[in-house]
Amino acid sequence: MDNQNSVPVADRRGDGSRMEESRNGLSRRQALGAISWAALAAGMTANPALAAPKRAGKPSDAAKKAFVDDLIKRMTVDEKIGQLRLISIGPEMPHAKLMDEVAAGRIAGSFNTVIRRDNRPLQEAAVKRSRLKIPLFFAYDVVHGHRTTFPIPLGLASSFDMAVIERMARVSAVEACNDGVDMTFAPMVDIGHDPRWGRTSEGFGEDPYLVSECARASVRGFQGTSPDKPDTIMAAVKHFALYGAVEGGRDYNTVDMSPLRMRQTYLPPYKAAIDAGAGGVMVALNSINGVPATSNTWLLQDLLRKEWGFKGVTVSDHGAITELTRHGVARDNREAAKLSIKAGIDLSMADQVYLAELPGLIASGEIKMAEIDACVREVLGAKYDMGLFADPFLRMGKPEDDPVDVKADSRLNRQPAREIARETIVLLENRNQTLPLKKQGTIALIGPLADSGLDILGSWSAQGVPEQAVTLRAGLEAAIEGKARLVTARGSNVIDDQKVVEYLNFLNWDKPEVIQDPRSIEAMIEEAVSVASQADVVIAAVGELRGMSHESSSRVSIDMPGSQRRLLQALKATGKPLVVVLMNGRPLAIGWEKDNADALLETWYTGTEGGNAIADVLFGDHNPSAKLPISFPRSVGQIPTYYNALRIGRPYTEGKPGNYTSQYFEEAQGPLYPFGFGLSYSRFALKDLKLSATRLKRGEKLSAEATLTNEGSHEGANVVQLYIADPYASIARPVKELKGFQKVTLKPGESRVVRFEIGEDELKFINGELKEVVENGRFDVQLGLDSHDVLVQSFELV
Ligand code: BGC
């Protein structure tokens, strides 16, 4: 084993699930045209399991069914059980043992191994040594990049640009293919209403419409036209379902939710990914109304298979089957295996439960062979769909084409990473046109996140290498080269609490992520203030360590952690213009920063090219146009804060405070920053909302249009957002719902009419009987550049 790889954070659980990277050469692209399977040809053609489908052309469903059925007929019980196991390579599964297990037909696939040189012998063991020569598949968490790390999903969603998300997924898929990866555990489409939840960073925010769009774009990008191509991977959407609603934002906690809310808010994004063709579904770790997702027959059978018609493979989350005993719904592993297989978990991830328990359950008749076959069919079907029966080495290529240095910079896609990252940066404040900065004079860069290649990569950085990441410091240096002077100081640590540092470092299994500056906060601030005093402007890079916004990283507070606020206050006191650059994976309570920063940029975690992208924005080489995909509460006590809440009987009315309306009395009401909010260096005006009709007949459409004008002096883009409110219906409806958006680029002085079509699709909802309906009556059409400040016109559906 070789530890020089960057550690995928996915591995922080400590299963050591990585293998050595290979050191060979040519690019995958070169390999793709020239794949020759002569070495394996004899074995393959002699073997009916591998002989059937041809690589060229898309086989029909009937051909796939015939192929899979035939194979199942020839499988032993042990071989069938083997096809239900997805293993993570680690200490408990050393390489030699793994090879034997594969050759014995006891493994369907592995995850966390992304080195062709290591995976090739495993695939060879499968297709040469196993009896039926069924190929393995290789999966990995390609969530926001593979070798190149792109911005975290919360950032990607901020782009409000689906081409950006599709491009991220496309480039990531190609990179993953070059490492022999066949499947990704992504997109993660869990709606987030509680920023205490660390996995908020991995999702696309709070809104079902936006997250569904992001889900579709991701699947398109990962799978391309079909997941059976050498440059496409299968997408397994996760975490099915409702994981984002864990109680109190505490990871792995229970979820209790009305069926109406599920269908209205939380379920649509999974459905969107499935409708877009996602070949896999990863099942969530949480329970839903008392029944763990992993053993939830309603979820996995009634909803997923019967109602939604999902035809792909389901994967448990890591160790979730054994966890059924801890949920208290299975007496022991035997019962856990029985419940999961009956519910419809095809692949068990990273445990031995199916292997150990299914033989006995089959022998006793508690599980019927047909139930096993149903799961095996999906696994084989997924392999078929990934093109692996036609060519087990489809993505792995030939040994002579293996990259010499898997981490070579030439394997990165820096240009797309920079262009994508720029689209994800949200400008929250810009007083006195502090930004864009000029490339002149002295610029002070201060803050514990200013030069961290690790943190800027964000939560699921896959094979991203911190040393290859452009930090903000490096980005600024490159941008101002020869034109301005950069002076720097750390200023503070991100966190001061040693217990928190230990927690974050404990999670990381091979080397500590968090290295503390041992100086006192007073000494660091003193130095920072003296550095700031020499400068014309101060940029402060503050926020969260990336490990704070991750799996198993729930917070009790969403405040600016540690002494960073003190640092900011001291910098403010210098009287220099203060530009606060936030790096974080969840909404933070940044009231002080809102009021005191001269400019405030939410950059999330921008990835490998983050420093360059942030510099592009700071200096105006790129005009920011991103919008918040999630509301920012003012304080932890205001959680949940989301824009599309249901109507209530005693709503708080802006400007008319009073008792006995719904409010927190110690604090201003409403979010600090609303959903959809984000500024530009230009000034945009949206005016003249017009509807093409005031009455709409069923089956017809009307249009809503308004004129967007760039009244400022910079070319730039803005996102026109369409919200619809249904003020009177058979049930209380959300105060408004996003139903469309368009990103429009305009030159200074330019105007454009932006038009949206509205028909029954935009007006339908789930009623009290859980049926999709459209009800007559008034609808309010709202167009705005955020969810709060909107133009309104009404029409009547008749
Ligand atoms: C996470 C999943 C991830 C899996 C494999 C689990 O702990 O919940 O999101 O795909 O590990 O790395």
Side-chain angles (χ1 to χ4, degrees):
M1 301 281 160
D2 165 339
N3 267 359
Q4 62 171 326
N5 294 327
S6 78
V7 182
V9 183
D11 293 353
R12 298 194 315 175
R13 65 176 70 86
D15 57 10
S17 39
R18 291 173 306 128
M19 295 181 70
E20 192 180 357
E21 296 196 336
S22 63
R23 313 249 169 283
N24 309 314
L26 296 178
S27 82
R28 177 70 181 132
R29 237 178 279 274
Q30 286 168 289
L32 294 180
I35 295 169
S36 149
W37 306 112
L40 290 162
M44 285 167 67
T45 45
N47 183 315
L50 292 172
K54 298 275 176 299
R55 287 190 63 202
K58 193 159 169 49
S60 68
D61 284 353
K64 172 179 162 185
K65 186 175 178 312
F67 177 79
V68 169
D69 284 349
D70 173 65
L71 193 47
I72 289 179
K73 269 193 214 122
R74 290 183 290 113
M75 291 170 81
T76 64
V77 175
D78 281 353
E79 285 164 342
K80 289 179 181 176
I81 294 171
Q83 286 304 312
L84 306 182
R85 292 181 66 216
L86 178 61
I87 55 104
S88 176
I89 299 174
E92 80 286 359
M93 186 57 86
H95 200 244
K97 178 165 178 224
L98 184 63
M99 296 281 281
D100 291 344
E101 290 279 288
V102 171
R106 275 202 287 267
I107 287 172
S110 82
F111 68 104
N112 285 338
T113 60
V114 297
I115 316 303
R116 287 158 55 164
R117 199 183 65 188
D118 295 329
N119 286 351
R120 188 175 293 104
L122 297 173
Q123 191 66 303
E124 283 173 353
V127 298
K128 283 180 175 170
R129 284 171 56 198
S130 76
R131 193 180 73 89
L132 286 171
K133 304 185 167 38
I134 298 172
L136 296 172
F137 74 96
F138 298 93
Y140 195 51
D141 288 286
V142 181
V143 178
H144 54 104
H146 180 66
R147 294 275 164 200
T148 311
T149 308
F150 295 95
I152 56 168
L154 205 52
L156 292 165
S158 306
S159 72
F160 273 68
D161 186 340
M162 297 308 114
V164 160
I165 293 181
E166 187 171 340
R167 187 179 185 203
M168 177 289 298
R170 189 82 291 279
V171 175
S172 305
V174 172
E175 287 187 359
C177 287
N178 289 344
D179 278 345
V181 173
D182 305 302
M183 178 192 278
T184 175
F185 302 134
M188 189 287 214
V189 301
D190 305 326
I191 293 278
H193 277 185
D194 192 333
R196 288 172 296 182
W197 191 48
R199 303 196 82 167
T200 302
S201 60
E202 272 176 71
F204 295 111
E206 75 186 28
D207 180 63
Y209 180 87
L210 177 63
V211 180
S212 298
E213 290 291 305
C214 296
R216 278 187 273 271
S218 305
V219 174
R220 279 198 303 272
F222 287 131
Q223 296 196 165
T225 50
S226 152
D228 67 353
K229 303 282 184 297
D231 65 349
T232 62
I233 53 179
M234 182 173 275
V237 60
K238 67 187 183 187
H239 304 84
F240 191 61
L242 323 180
Y243 186 23
V246 284
E247 218 168 74
R250 209 182 69 224
D251 209 2
Y252 316 126
N253 204 0
T254 193
V255 172
D256 206 308
M257 190 185 287
S258 76
L260 188 61
R261 169 169 276 204
M262 286 181 199
R263 287 174 184 271
Q264 186 164 273
T265 307
Y266 281 80
L267 291 174
Y270 309 105
K271 171 94 167 33
I274 289 165
D275 289 347
V281 166
M282 183 187 286
V283 179
L285 293 161
N286 53 280
S287 63
I288 297 172
N289 298 345
V291 184
T294 307
S295 61
N296 198 316
T297 311
W298 165 76
L299 184 75
L300 300 179
Q301 295 297 334
D302 300 344
L303 183 70
L304 182 65
R305 299 278 183 197
K306 293 187 193 131
E307 192 180 321
W308 290 1
F310 176 63
K311 294 221 162 43
V313 67
T314 58
V315 190
S316 80
D317 202 343
H318 200 277
I321 298 180
T322 31
E323 286 171 19
L324 292 179
T325 58
R326 298 197 208 124
H327 278 286
V329 300
R331 190 177 298 113
D332 49 24
N333 277 347
R334 187 172 200 276
E335 195 176 3
K338 181 173 160 183
L339 289 174
S340 323
I341 205 108
K342 283 192 181 283
I345 299 284
D346 302 326
L347 275 162
S348 90
M349 183 195 283
D351 59 35
Q352 308 288 328
V353 189
Y354 276 2
L355 179 73
E357 305 298 344
L358 289 181
L361 288 162
I362 296 167
S364 70
E366 286 164 88
I367 292 187
K368 297 195 181 55
M369 193 51 72
E371 291 171 304
I372 300 286
D373 287 353
C375 296
V376 175
R377 186 167 286 115
E378 299 303 352
V379 176
L380 297 178
K383 290 185 179 186
Y384 190 101
D385 291 342
M386 287 185 269
L388 291 169
F389 283 112
D391 180 352
F393 298 86
L394 181 64
R395 297 177 184 85
M396 212 179 287
K398 292 186 294 183
E400 57 268 37
D401 296 331
D402 285 353
V404 178
D405 174 7
V406 290
K407 289 190 246 169
D409 213 85
S410 56
R411 301 188 83 211
L412 302 183
N413 283 284
R414 289 191 176 274
Q415 192 57 28
R418 182 169 181 164
E419 288 166 11
I420 288 171
R422 298 196 299 213
E423 299 295 336
T424 65
I425 296 170
V426 191
L427 179 65
L428 295 175
E429 300 294 335
N430 195 17
R431 294 193 171 86
N432 309 317
Q433 295 181 317
T434 303
L435 294 180
L437 299 176
K438 296 201 175 58
K439 293 175 186 167
Q440 65 185 40
T442 301
I443 299 170
L445 174 64
I446 292 170
L449 293 168
D451 202 20
S452 171
L454 181 77
D455 294 298
I456 206 165
L457 292 181
S459 47
W460 287 82
S461 54
Q463 290 295 306
V465 176
E467 294 71 29
Q468 288 177 322
V470 180
T471 65
L472 180 53
R473 178 183 180 151
L476 291 180
E477 274 166 356
I480 63 172
E481 207 193 349
K483 297 182 201 111
R485 190 164 77 100
L486 189 71
V487 290
T488 61
R490 183 172 166 93
S492 74
N493 287 313
V494 173
I495 36 181
D496 301 319
D497 187 335
Q498 193 49 32
K499 283 212 184 69
V500 175
V501 173
E502 278 160 23
Y503 180 77
L504 297 175
N505 282 337
F506 168 76
L507 278 174
N508 202 40
W509 62 277
D510 73 339
K511 61 179 178 198
E513 275 207 7
V514 189
I515 312 286
Q516 293 289 85
D517 190 316
R519 289 176 293 165
S520 72
I521 176 66
E522 289 77 18
M524 279 192 272
I525 289 182
E526 195 183 315
E527 180 196 54
V529 166
S530 117
V531 166
S533 322
Q534 306 162 30
D536 302 305
V537 62
V538 178
I539 301 173
V542 291
E544 298 180 298
L545 297 160
R546 66 132 180 211
M548 298 172 77
S549 280
H550 192 266
E551 182 176 348
S552 191
S553 295
S554 298
R555 293 186 61 194
V556 289
S557 144
I558 55 168
D559 291 346
M560 180 67 70
S563 302
Q564 295 174 102
R565 179 70 59 73
R566 265 177 76 186
L567 169 66
L568 292 175
Q569 284 165 343
L571 294 175
K572 175 77 185 169
T574 64
K576 304 284 179 176
L578 178 61
V579 178
V580 176
V581 172
L582 297 167
M583 298 187 191
N584 48 288
R586 54 161 64 78
L588 294 177
I590 42 169
W592 187 89
E593 288 74 11
K594 178 183 196 297
D595 293 342
N596 290 283
D598 294 287
L600 184 57
L601 271 188
E602 176 56 85
T603 71
W604 311 111
Y605 299 114
T606 34
T608 306
E609 279 289 309
N612 283 331
I614 300 171
D616 287 342
V617 170
L618 287 172
F619 292 114
D621 296 320
H622 180 83
N623 188 354
S625 60
K627 304 278 183 174
L628 296 177
I630 190 163
S631 308
F632 273 44
R634 292 169 193 275
S635 62
V636 77
Q638 286 198 343
I639 294 172
T641 290
Y642 51 96
Y643 83 93
N644 50 357
L646 293 192
R647 286 166 190 279
I648 54 173
R650 293 186 178 191
Y652 170 78
T653 313
E654 224 169 288
K656 288 190 194 160
N659 290 333
Y660 303 106
T661 69
S662 186
Q663 60 182 292
Y664 296 106
F665 62 78
E666 314 105 306
E667 203 164 53
Q669 308 305 306
L672 189 66
Y673 290 109
F675 175 85
F677 178 83
L679 302 172
S680 159
Y681 293 153
S682 223
R683 213 177 49 253
F684 284 87
L686 187 68
K687 290 190 184 134
D688 300 330
L689 169 58
K690 288 189 204 106
L691 302 185
S692 60
T694 51
R695 284 163 72 82
L696 177 65
K697 287 206 195 104
R698 283 172 179 262
E700 295 184 355
K701 294 198 176 217
L702 60 75
S703 66
E705 62 176 48
T707 305
L708 181 70
T709 305
N710 182 349
E711 296 180 342
S713 52
H714 296 78
E715 177 172 336
N718 214 316
V719 181
V720 181
Q721 301 159 40
L722 165 71
Y723 297 90
I724 296 187
D726 183 359
Y728 167 68
S730 57
I731 54 166
R733 303 276 298 117
V735 290
K736 62 178 72 180
E737 294 172 294
L738 184 70
K739 292 293 176 182
F741 53 84
Q742 291 178 40
K743 196 165 193 170
V744 181
T745 304
L746 295 177
K747 296 202 166 41
E750 200 186 350
S751 290
R752 182 147 342 136
V753 174
V754 181
R755 189 170 293 115
F756 294 91
E757 294 245 290
I758 299 171
E760 285 181 43
D761 271 353
E762 284 70 36
L763 309 179
K764 67 188 180 196
F765 66 98
I766 308 293
N767 73 5
E769 282 92 54
L770 303 182
K771 299 221 168 69
E772 199 172 82
V773 291
V774 182
E775 292 178 357
N776 286 356
R778 190 186 108 206
F779 290 90
D780 297 335
V781 177
Q782 309 183 355
L783 289 193
L785 302 178
D786 62 56
S787 62
H788 182 72
D789 198 3
V790 290
L791 306 167
V792 188
Q793 290 284 343
S794 303
F795 71 89
E796 197 86 22
L797 179 71
V798 293

